[in-house]
Amino acid sequence: MTDDELVGGFETGLLAPERFGHREHLRLAWCYLTRFGRDDTERKLLAGLRAFAARAGKPDKFDAALTSAWVGVLADASAQLGYPATFDTLIAARPDLLDSATVRARR
């Protein structure tokens, strides 16, 4: 799935929940960060993930504080690396981001 397909699927509601794990959450946030900046990314993800969780029948899975924390971690990691051109480049440099406990440990 390309970045545009991920973003489009998420925004249209056509992305199946089983195809949206932790890595896809991060990749979506990275796509938004590179397109919209930190503030708009956080706003868009908070609204979009709340709606996504509700459509999936799991509204209790949405965590606004955790979403905001991840946006911050990804923005900081991207800035430290000079805003890598691809998500895979970011992950190659920061594989710890794939561990969903990374942010929970910092909260």
Side-chain angles (χ1 to χ4, degrees), residues 5-96:
E5 289 169 338
L6 174 64
V7 170
F10 177 78
E11 291 180 349
T12 61
L14 297 176
L15 181 63
E18 62 273 7
R19 294 192 67 203
F20 195 59
H22 178 67
R23 183 183 181 95
E24 291 75 27
H25 275 78
L26 294 180
R27 187 170 159 211
L28 177 68
W30 179 85
C31 288
Y32 278 4
L33 282 167
T34 62
R35 296 171 187 197
F36 306 115
R38 187 174 179 161
D39 291 340
D40 284 343
T41 292
E42 188 167 347
R43 181 184 53 75
K44 288 174 77 65
L45 282 177
L46 289 171
L49 289 171
R50 181 177 285 117
F52 186 86
R55 278 192 309 274
K58 298 180 180 183
D60 56 311
K61 296 286 274 183
F62 174 74
D63 186 328
L66 186 59
T67 297
S68 295
W70 271 110
V71 169
V73 167
L74 284 170
D76 292 346
S78 292
Q80 289 170 352
L81 295 170
Y83 298 96
T86 69
F87 176 72
D88 289 335
T89 302
L90 173 66
I91 294 304
R94 290 287 310 273
D96 62 299

